[in-house]
Amino acid sequence: EDQVTQSPEALRLQEGESSSLNCSYTVSGLRGLFWYRQDPGKGPEFLFTLYSAGEEKEKERLKATLTKKESFLHITAPKPEDSATYLCAVQANNAGNMLTFGGGTRLMVKP
Amino acid sequence: DAGVIQSPRHEVTEMGQEVTLRCKPISGHNSLFWYRQTMMRGLELLIYFNNNVPIDDSGMPEDRFSAKMPNASFSTLKIQPSEPRDSAVYFCASSPYWTDTQYFGPGTRLTVL
């Protein structure tokens, strides 16, 4: 069974204090790993897809990386508007279009 | 371009009543997904359709839940009879054939009293 574990569950940062969120996964053949951002009262918003170990993608202050067992979402010099829940999901080779989500990391950035 | 549209945004009902949630996917997308999100269990896939055909419904909790997709632009998720433990936020997502990325709607917050 595919499993995704995110840590920490919650993270408080001061504005400008860089950090990383972790997503560990076990899957029977990874087809893709997805990062989403979710604001309170809204649906998840797509950020990145990573397909192979060593791949990196960047968007503004966010950079996602992938290894064979985990992915990291690095946040550089965060701002209060980066506060949200970040969700990681995996898609297995034999699972069609299905995604398995982790529990998320709730990020709070204080000014 | 309009995103995924869900209605109603909020639904409050009493135990035993029938509840119908509605979703309009992004035009041109051929896959549609229904998810449920709770604090305890996170975001769980209930069922998904490809080209209006149900592909995997293994996440549907029990027979009280049913989903249909009569055409490419409309889907419903029905709960009959509803129970308090069904209280959650229900999301619909859609995906085009050329990518695995799923685009989520704003969700329906369901409260069953």
Side-chain angles (χ1 to χ4, degrees), chain A residues 84-103:
Chain A
T85 296
Y86 291 86
L87 297 167
C88 170
V90 297
Q91 185 179 47
N93 282 326
N94 62 353
N97 299 53
M98 296 194 296
L99 295 181
T100 300
F101 279 85

Side-chain angles (χ1 to χ4, degrees), chain B residues 73-112:
Chain B
S73 58
F74 183 66
S75 177
T76 60
L77 178 67
K78 186 175 293 186
I79 307 172
Q80 166 64 14
S82 58
E83 296 183 3
R85 59 191 167 125
D86 301 330
S87 297
V89 181
Y90 290 81
F91 289 102
C92 176
S94 69
S95 176
Y97 72 90
W98 62 83
T99 177
D100 295 323
T101 301
Q102 297 180 19
Y103 298 88
F104 284 76
T108 295
R109 180 173 294 278
L110 173 65
T111 303
V112 183

